[in-house]
Amino acid sequence: MRTYRLPNPTTPEDLECRWSKLLTFGDRVVIAGDFFNGPNKPCYFGAAYEFLGDDHTCEGAIGLRAASGVEFEDDGHAIAWAMQQ
């Protein structure tokens, strides 16, 4: 969480302003973000948030559920990881 500077708690709206790859998936919000590790190294991470209340709009509160401990080659694999959390 600290490595990727993921806010907790936050809102989907705030996450979307920071990372453009965000999906609302049922009662969860998943993101793929990028994190520079150096030239020619994997740089995408996945994270899964869950809604903390009944407000499932872009302004509803969400809390971090999981963040990947490894980086992925592309944003698709990062999102796939986050969807399985």
Side-chain angles (χ1 to χ4, degrees):
M1 182 173 115
R2 288 183 182 155
T3 301
Y4 305 132
R5 298 184 186 122
L6 295 170
N8 187 34
T10 188
T11 65
E13 183 178 40
D14 182 48
L15 287 181
E16 198 163 16
C17 290
R18 296 174 187 223
W19 294 280
S20 60
K21 294 165 179 78
L22 177 135
L23 298 169
T24 301
F25 187 68
D27 63 344
R28 292 179 288 158
V29 174
V30 296
I31 66 167
D34 52 19
F35 181 78
F36 183 71
N37 284 322
N40 302 319
K41 293 185 179 179
C43 63
Y44 289 95
F45 67 90
Y49 285 81
E50 60 188 352
F51 283 97
L52 300 176
D54 293 333
D55 184 2
H56 289 201
T57 67
C58 65
E59 296 175 347
I62 56 175
L64 185 63
R65 181 176 181 173
S68 62
V70 297
E71 286 78 34
F72 302 95
E73 293 291 328
D74 56 41
D75 54 356
H77 285 94
I79 286 286
W81 179 92
M83 290 176 74
Q84 294 176 2
Q85 302 310 304

